[in-house]
Amino acid sequence: MAQGDDPTRDSAPDLQILGDQITLQPRSYVEARRHDGQEEPLLHNMARFRSEPLQFLREVSLYVSGTGWRAYDNVIGQPIFYSGFSEQMKNAVVSAPLLQTRISQLADRRLEIEEKEGWLRKDDKDYVTKKAQRRAVIESSIQEVAEKMTNDMICKFESKTFIRGAYYLVTQLLTRAYHQGIHVSSEEVLRLRKVAEVAEKKKQSIIFLPSHRSHVDYVSMQLICYRLGLALPVVVAGDNLNFPIVGSFLQHAGAMWIRRSFGNDTLYTTLVQAYIDTLLQGGYNFECFIEGGRSRTGKLLSPKFGILSFILDSLLSGRVEDAVICPVSCQYDKVIETEGYVTELLGVPKKKENLADFLSGGSSVLSLRLGRVDVRFHEPWSLRKYIDEQLTKLTPSPGALRLDVKTPENAAIKQKLLRTMGYKVLSDINNVSVVMPTALIGTVLLTLRGRGVGKSELMRRIEWLIARVGAKGGRVAHFGNAPLSDVVERGLEVLGKDLVGVVQGLAEPTYYAVDRFQLSFYRNMTIHLFISEALVSASMYTRVKLGGGPAHQEISYTALREQVLFLSSLFRGEFIFPGEGLAVNLEKTLVGLEDDRVVDLKRDEQGHILSIGLADEERAAGRENYDFYCFLIWPFIESSWLAAVSLMGLTPPLGLKDGASIWIDVAKAQNTAQLLGKTLYHQGDLSYFEAVNKETLKNSYQRFEEEGIVYAVKSRDPKVPPRLRLAFEWMPSRDPSSGALQPSGKLWNFIERIASSRREGKNRRDGATVSTRVLRLVDTVGAKLFEDATSPQSKAEAKLNDEEAAKLKRAIKEERRRRRLEGRAHL
């Protein structure tokens, strides 16, 4: 690669954290390859017990006694790791005015119930005394419950001896799995330390908001903060990880445990808010994952607003003055859990975490060589300043707002703040993310036509992709002046033969995707950079797929804009789009594609774009760059099409009594869509097996609910699962004599709109099969859903009770009002 084309040329050098060592890595650095057939030791400066028992014991003693930087004494941030920290934190939480007010309110509610039930009688001469005594008993009981909940939840930074030993143990394990260590940007780390110094003086918290692809994310963050002398953050963790031994270890290393669902438990909700208030008031660093759970698909998930809403409420209420937000990107050469993700996405239920699996999984990790972890820190920003800026945009007089008062208007403003903040953080994460060599390889292999690719062609396309990443403002992991063949070889070694195969004995080694489903995880790490080009290309495909000459394949600007708008709305919950607005972004994307000679633009005399077609240069090159953008988005279009087709199966069979008012279990409907997809793939009506992935289907169903295509209800009874049904105006018709589903109506037109951007090809039969055989299959699996819903075991759940019906009516009305106010494009 020419030096002038190196997208990393202007970036600061990396720091490599490997065991005890911090090494400055110039941007062009690639670890020297050995040619003597021997492997490099996994840990360059950490002794192993078997080979060097005395040196091993010496190193352990250095950590436990706290020698040099290992002492973790002069950290930047508030004091942590001292005896009595947990008790002090617990007392601060349970005595918080917010929590005490809630306990008093709960006691009042209980007293009201007891009065109604006759336990307390107002005509009793000792009524006032008995009520006061009873209140004291109730408040004491609730206080005990709150103290127990607090003790179970809070992080316990108690012992420096413990954290020194924990650092040593975890570093030993992590560097055996990721043998090239953790890489961070020297510039970003220096900036972060300066911000931390200012935050310490102001007694403000740094709130780290990392992307979440692996359990290694929070381990890496703790190791980085420890090694660089920053106060460890308190990390929000789901209580599913709080199993024996491991749970206690994590809690003493930084984890705070929260339930996966709070339900209607107002005491617990208030307790979480009080704890977060206490942490932010004290200036303790904090960390939570904005996506909620780990991404099983490789790309960023939509933001989850649970913990963010608590943080926002702390500031909006005035209980906390300010906090510093630091978005963080965590990238990997290879993610340990991807194989497990694939089984989950294919419908295998996730196993509950337990100690046996943890130990057996941990032992296998020790033998892996997964490359490196790359952690990047966005420039931190003041949350208070951001809130003030947004409120100025949202209301003409932000100073007059009393957001601590609960009103529908305030709730709408808070929701708007949450959404804009959530998507800003995701955008910041994308902006600092680096593209790893494995992501480059996975992207190229899954965006080429044909069974495989020769090594020279693979390297040529990777070089093109590196240039495109740089042109889009992205960053590639540092390997600048190293031979591209070395970079590719290393990436292939990390991915392994289970993901990428090679056929030897040919004119040149030929590589092919063995596990396309798992490899798509790495391709999805790059898609955010090219989402605009992908949507434009897929929209153009509505004409390109028709064939004929160049003029016949041109698409008018109006038609292109309408299809881009449709697809953008369809994938609103799937991708993070640029914030400039559709018109500006579309214009910029088209001009960029024109400059790259992928498309030709025809303009009128005023310079307005009239039509778009493929450039002659792109046709001469076999459409390879245009196809690249299409291949990125096609699996997602296929998945949305599959989800939409599955909705046809929610049409009640003819003759079913009260069929239109029967509700279907959401999980069963989505599982049926996945079963339908697997069948269609093996029968040739689905091009991409990735389209059956559970996460994307779930996102599609969520979009359909947001748009009012389906209605969904959640019962207050935890034993009753969420249910859905098609909205009446979207309900397909049936042939009155045969009962067959008819390929017509609003839902069918919607399906056809998605299908117009689907990939054509020999792997799928088109035309009448979709409206005949595919619909028959949809009807067959749909009939099973209604059969299950009306069975004696499920009959009570198939109908809404009066409370649920009233709640649904209000929700539909509110959703329609919200959509009108937003004024956004809809399906």
Side-chain angles (χ1 to χ4, degrees):
M1 186 191 309
Q3 187 171 352
D5 295 331
D6 179 6
T8 68
R9 65 185 182 278
D10 296 324
S11 56
D14 275 3
L15 295 178
Q16 180 192 39
I17 302 174
L18 185 61
D20 280 0
Q21 291 182 335
I22 293 185
T23 309
L24 190 69
Q25 306 281 18
R27 62 175 179 79
S28 59
Y29 174 83
V30 168
E31 180 186 9
R33 296 180 65 82
R34 295 182 64 135
H35 299 289
D36 56 6
Q38 299 179 20
E39 289 187 353
E40 291 283 353
L42 295 182
L43 296 173
H44 294 282
N45 65 321
M46 280 193 161
R48 297 190 183 188
F49 180 74
R50 291 181 181 177
S51 58
E52 301 174 88
L54 294 178
Q55 178 65 12
F56 175 85
L57 293 173
R58 177 180 174 277
E59 287 181 359
V60 172
S61 70
L62 287 176
Y63 277 89
V64 174
S65 62
T67 302
W69 62 266
R70 301 173 185 83
Y72 197 61
D73 283 334
N74 300 315
V75 299
I76 304 172
Q78 302 306 313
I80 53 176
F81 291 111
Y82 57 85
S83 180
F85 174 87
S86 305
E87 191 64 27
Q88 180 182 323
M89 184 61 67
K90 185 173 79 171
N91 291 337
V93 173
V94 296
S95 62
L98 185 73
L99 181 61
Q100 290 302 312
T101 300
R102 178 64 71 193
I103 289 174
S104 180
Q105 290 171 349
L106 291 172
D108 286 340
R109 290 181 197 172
R110 182 61 201 170
L111 287 171
E112 287 176 10
I113 292 171
E114 291 186 0
E115 284 184 7
K116 286 180 181 177
E117 293 179 351
W119 292 89
L120 284 172
R121 300 177 62 86
K122 290 185 178 181
D123 55 359
D124 192 318
K125 65 178 181 178
D126 297 325
Y127 168 74
V128 175
T129 304
K130 288 181 178 180
K131 183 176 182 180
Q133 291 173 343
R134 181 59 184 153
R135 168 185 282 280
V137 170
I138 294 171
E139 287 185 347
S140 176
S141 299
I142 298 174
Q143 185 81 11
E144 284 181 21
V145 172
E147 288 177 5
K148 172 68 167 58
M149 285 179 173
T150 304
N151 188 64
D152 292 343
M153 176 175 62
I154 64 171
C155 155
K156 299 179 177 178
F157 285 143
E158 282 287 320
S159 167
K160 278 193 181 174
T161 302
F162 167 81
I163 201 62
R164 291 166 187 159
Y167 178 89
Y168 180 77
L169 172 64
V170 173
T171 303
Q172 284 271 350
L173 295 174
L174 188 68
T175 50
R176 278 171 164 78
Y178 290 97
H179 62 291
Q180 292 175 2
I182 302 171
H183 284 233
V184 295
S185 163
S186 58
E187 179 185 16
E188 292 169 4
V189 166
L190 289 172
R191 181 177 64 199
L192 180 60
R193 283 178 62 89
K194 289 178 181 176
V195 170
E197 288 168 357
V198 174
E200 180 186 24
K201 292 175 184 175
K202 294 182 176 179
K203 208 175 180 181
Q204 290 177 356
S205 303
I206 297 177
I207 301 174
F208 295 101
L209 299 176
S211 58
H212 199 17
R213 291 186 173 92
S214 169
H215 285 310
V216 178
D217 296 334
Y218 46 80
V219 175
S220 300
M221 283 292 300
Q222 299 298 80
L223 291 182
I224 290 169
C225 288
Y226 187 100
R227 188 62 183 86
L228 299 179
L230 302 176
L232 298 191
V234 174
V235 185
V236 178
D239 60 4
N240 57 307
L241 292 174
N242 189 12
F243 48 89
I245 302 176
V246 173
S248 178
F249 178 90
L250 294 176
Q251 193 171 22
H252 284 79
M256 65 166 278
W257 301 118
I258 62 166
R259 299 173 187 170
R260 306 299 284 181
S261 174
F262 292 9
N264 295 316
D265 192 334
T266 55
L267 176 64
Y268 187 78
T269 302
T270 307
L271 191 61
V272 173
Q273 181 70 70
Y275 183 35
I276 291 175
D277 283 353
T278 304
L279 289 171
L280 300 187
Q281 288 164 355
Y284 296 101
N285 291 342
F286 189 70
E287 177 184 335
C288 69
F289 296 102
I290 189 156
E291 301 164 272
R294 290 168 293 162
S295 170
R296 268 73 171 165
T297 60
K299 65 180 183 59
L300 287 180
L301 304 178
S302 296
K304 301 297 184 293
F305 301 117
I307 298 299
L308 276 189
S309 67
F310 287 115
I311 295 170
L312 200 61
D313 194 66
S314 295
L315 271 78
L316 292 177
S317 65
R319 295 190 298 270
V320 174
E321 179 57 34
D322 198 4
V324 178
I325 301 294
C326 183
V328 184
S329 166
C330 299
Q331 301 284 359
Y332 300 83
D333 272 327
K334 191 172 185 180
V335 173
I336 291 176
E337 300 101 322
T338 47
E339 192 172 336
Y341 291 166
V342 170
T343 58
E344 286 181 40
L345 292 174
L346 287 175
V348 178
K350 178 185 174 184
K351 286 183 66 177
K352 186 177 181 180
E353 282 82 2
N354 59 75
L355 183 59
D357 286 348
F358 178 84
L359 294 175
S360 61
S363 62
S364 64
V365 163
L366 298 183
S367 61
L368 299 176
R369 292 176 62 84
L370 301 178
R372 81 189 205 195
V373 183
D374 215 296
V375 179
R376 303 286 150 160
F377 298 91
H378 191 275
E379 183 176 359
W381 40 272
S382 161
L383 181 53
R384 171 64 64 188
K385 183 180 177 182
Y386 177 78
I387 290 172
D388 291 344
E389 289 172 352
Q390 292 301 310
L391 289 178
T392 302
K393 295 177 183 178
L394 291 173
T395 177
S397 52
L401 284 175
R402 286 286 310 279
L403 291 173
D404 55 326
V405 180
K406 289 189 176 181
T407 65
E409 292 76 19
N410 283 351
I413 290 173
K414 285 183 181 180
Q415 192 62 32
K416 185 75 173 176
L417 278 173
L418 271 177
R419 286 189 63 83
T420 55
M421 178 182 167
Y423 281 100
K424 172 179 166 51
V425 170
L426 291 184
S427 180
D428 287 350
I429 291 172
N430 273 339
N431 288 340
V432 295
S433 293
V434 296
V435 179
M436 308 299 281
T438 47
L440 295 171
I441 293 168
T443 300
V444 168
L445 285 176
L446 294 184
T447 53
L448 291 173
R449 296 187 182 272
R451 294 189 186 92
V453 60
K455 188 168 185 180
S456 59
E457 177 65 6
L458 177 62
M459 290 193 294
R460 184 183 75 84
R461 291 302 294 172
I462 286 176
E463 192 164 14
W464 174 85
L465 180 55
I466 290 169
R468 295 310 308 144
V469 168
K472 291 290 292 181
R475 300 193 285 182
V476 178
H478 287 180
F479 52 82
N481 295 329
L484 193 57
S485 57
D486 270 17
V487 176
V488 172
E489 195 62 42
R490 285 176 176 279
L492 291 169
E493 286 174 7
V494 170
L495 288 171
K497 65 182 186 305
D498 291 336
L499 268 70
V500 180
V502 58
V503 182
Q504 302 285 3
L506 304 178
E508 65 172 336
T510 299
Y511 297 89
Y512 63 97
V514 176
D515 187 341
R516 299 182 71 89
F517 204 116
Q518 193 173 163
L519 203 57
S520 69
F521 184 93
Y522 299 94
R523 178 207 60 205
N524 289 344
M525 291 179 176
T526 65
I527 193 170
H528 66 277
L529 292 167
F530 308 110
I531 186 61
S532 298
E533 289 81 359
L535 292 178
V536 166
S537 298
S539 299
M540 288 178 62
Y541 192 68
T542 58
R543 296 292 301 178
V544 172
K545 71 194 293 187
L546 301 178
H552 189 63
Q553 293 183 4
E554 282 185 5
I555 184 171
S556 71
Y557 179 80
T558 302
L560 178 74
R561 186 183 184 282
E562 287 178 357
Q563 186 68 1
V564 169
L565 182 62
F566 172 76
L567 293 177
S568 299
S569 181
L570 183 67
F571 294 126
R572 187 181 298 159
E574 194 72 59
F575 300 109
I576 313 304
F577 296 108
E580 301 121 318
L582 178 68
V584 174
N585 187 47
L586 180 56
E587 180 86 15
K588 186 186 295 185
T589 303
L590 288 173
V591 170
L593 289 171
E594 182 184 37
D595 291 343
D596 294 337
R597 302 309 304 141
V598 176
V599 303
D600 269 332
L601 305 179
K602 289 185 178 178
R603 296 177 169 87
D604 62 17
E605 293 177 354
Q606 287 76 40
H608 301 133
I609 300 172
L610 296 176
S611 65
I612 302 95
L614 288 175
D616 292 338
E617 295 89 336
E618 184 64 17
R619 292 181 184 279
R623 272 179 24 189
E624 62 178 4
N625 297 336
Y626 170 78
D627 283 352
F628 168 83
Y629 297 125
C630 287
F631 275 112
L632 283 177
I633 196 70
W634 271 336
F636 294 94
I637 292 174
E638 194 92 316
S639 192
S640 292
W641 175 85
L642 171 62
V645 166
S646 73
L647 295 185
M648 298 285 287
L650 299 180
T651 310
L654 279 184
L656 182 63
K657 186 179 179 182
D658 297 327
S661 60
I662 290 176
W663 291 74
I664 305 295
D665 184 321
V666 170
K668 288 182 179 179
Q670 293 174 359
N671 291 340
T672 297
Q674 190 170 53
L675 175 65
L676 173 67
K678 291 176 181 178
T679 308
L680 292 177
Y681 174 79
H682 289 291
Q683 292 182 357
D685 290 306
L686 206 64
S687 297
Y688 297 96
F689 195 55
E690 305 151 54
V692 308
N693 109 46
K694 201 169 187 178
E695 194 70 39
T696 311
L697 288 172
K698 185 179 176 182
N699 288 344
S700 295
Y701 268 72
Q702 180 64 38
R703 280 296 294 129
F704 300 157
E705 182 187 344
E706 290 170 1
E707 293 299 323
I709 300 173
V710 295
Y711 296 144
V713 292
K714 291 182 180 179
S715 173
R716 296 180 67 176
D717 184 351
K719 295 180 181 178
V720 177
R723 293 153 291 164
L724 59 75
R725 70 165 173 80
L726 266 177
F728 290 121
E729 61 267 31
W730 288 83
M731 192 79 71
S733 59
R734 289 185 177 275
D735 184 284
S737 55
S738 67
L741 284 170
Q742 298 283 76
S744 60
K746 195 172 182 179
L747 180 57
W748 182 254
N749 293 337
F750 175 64
I751 292 168
E752 290 283 89
R753 184 79 181 272
I754 301 173
S756 66
S757 287
R758 285 179 77 205
R759 180 189 178 188
E760 296 282 352
K762 61 184 179 181
N763 295 330
R764 211 184 77 239
R765 296 185 294 276
D766 293 309
T769 55
V770 176
S771 58
T772 54
R773 190 170 53 77
V774 170
L775 278 187
R776 280 201 301 272
L777 185 60
V778 171
D779 210 4
T780 300
V781 296
K784 182 69 168 62
L785 286 173
F786 282 95
E787 183 182 325
D788 290 345
T790 54
S791 66
Q793 295 83 358
S794 307
K795 204 164 186 179
E797 302 170 6
K799 299 290 181 71
L800 298 188
N801 58 38
D802 292 342
E803 181 186 354
E804 290 169 338
K807 185 178 178 182
L808 174 66
K809 189 175 181 180
R810 289 194 302 270
I812 293 172
K813 186 177 179 180
E814 176 59 29
E815 184 63 23
R816 286 174 177 168
R817 187 184 73 86
R818 181 187 64 81
R819 291 210 298 266
R820 282 197 307 271
L821 289 174
E822 284 181 348
R824 294 196 294 183
H826 300 288
L827 303 175

